[in-house]
Structure formats: C-alpha cells, structure tokens
Amino acid sequence: MTSINYNDFPRAGFRRRMACWMYDFLTSVAVYMVAGLISFCIFMLFNNLGFIDMGEYEHLIEVQQNSVLYSGLIYSWNFFWVAFFFVWFWNRSGQTIGMKAWRLRVQNLDGSLISKKTGLKRLLPTLIGFGNFAVIFDRKNKLSLQDRLTQTEVVVLPIEVSRAKNR
C-alpha cells in the first residue's frame, strides 16, 4: 500500500465545516452529559460517605447548585472531558466522529497530525464555532480562525482515502 501524502488534499469550505461542527456539537453534548452523570454519581457517593454536608437543603442537587466550589468542580470535570474528546481525536487521527462522517481531517500545514498542545489552542474557537466564519471571507485560503491561530488546516479527504483509513 502506498503512503498517503496529506498535503495534496483541498481545504474544507464553510458549509462542510459547519455540517461537521453540528455532528461534533451533538457528540460533545453527549460526552458532557455522560461526564455529568459520572460526576454527580461521585458527588452522591461523597455525600453518602459523609464528606458533603446537606445543610438546610433537602436535595443534593440544591447543595451543588448553591455552592460555587461544588458547581465549579462538577462543571470543570464535565468540560475537561469534552476538551479531552476533541484533543484526543485530533491528536490520534486528525478526525473526530463528525470529521470522519464529513471526510475532514485537521492537520499541520505539512500534513502531519497536530500535537496535544496545538489541539488545546484550537479548542476554544472551534467549540464555539464562530472561528469557521472566517472561511467565508477567506475563499482563497479557506482558513478558519483556529487554523490561523495554530498554523493548521482542515482538509477534505477523498472517499478512497477515507475508506482506506477506516479499514
């Protein structure tokens, strides 16, 4: 099998990026919800072990909602797992689940996979989705805000390459 040169593929346009973003947004909501379930189960366990005082509240969720510390810990845990989801997939294969569906790949300008550090830098403008609107105004280079900030690009993989990668 011949080696794939990822530099030869065209950059992704706005519509394909936004369709992919919708898939990944829904996936990230699911990751957030599962992380939330796990974090609240841990919170309940700590309550049952006596580490958390219910105070004047009747329900445990009220304790969490009225505590900056507990809410901060739980929401940080949930967002950590969403961030981990994106960075892990980008670093491992260059593709999240949505990117696989739309045959997109994020990569360095030389065609190599991005590092975890680069993935973290891409995270905020990517998650919000607004960074992709820069592609509308940059029709020649098709670079989003997150691409420019991290010297990366998102390319469209041909069907043959996408199928070969998924085997």
Side-chain angles (χ1 to χ4, degrees), residues 44-162:
M44 285 175 42
L45 176 66
F46 283 179
N47 179 58
N48 291 341
L49 294 174
F51 298 137
I52 297 172
D53 179 28
M54 291 289 288
E56 75 265 10
Y57 300 108
E58 186 177 336
H59 300 285
L60 191 57
I61 191 67
E62 294 173 315
V63 175
Q64 182 258 314
Q65 290 174 340
N66 290 292
S67 168
V68 174
L69 174 64
Y70 296 146
S71 290
L73 288 171
I74 288 175
Y75 294 135
S76 295
W77 164 274
N78 297 352
F79 283 114
F80 166 80
W81 284 107
V82 171
F84 179 82
F85 162 79
F86 281 97
V87 173
W88 188 76
F89 274 103
W90 288 338
N91 176 255
R92 183 180 163 136
S93 66
Q95 295 180 294
T96 59
I97 294 167
M99 294 175 89
K100 283 185 183 211
W102 286 94
R103 297 190 340 260
L104 300 181
R105 181 179 191 260
V106 63
Q107 62 188 21
N108 291 310
L109 296 176
D110 65 2
S112 63
L113 290 174
I114 67 172
S115 68
K116 291 175 184 130
K117 183 178 178 181
T118 302
L120 287 171
K121 288 179 185 177
R122 283 184 64 86
L123 206 53
L124 188 59
T126 300
L127 288 178
I128 297 170
F130 294 132
N132 290 321
F133 284 96
V135 176
I136 294 172
F137 303 105
D138 184 12
R139 291 184 180 265
K140 180 182 175 194
N141 296 314
K142 293 185 180 176
L143 292 172
S144 67
L145 176 62
Q146 57 268 24
D147 294 335
R148 290 182 184 284
L149 292 173
T150 59
Q151 288 79 49
T152 58
E153 63 185 353
V154 175
V155 297
V156 179
L157 300 176
I159 293 173
E160 302 79 31
V161 172
S162 184

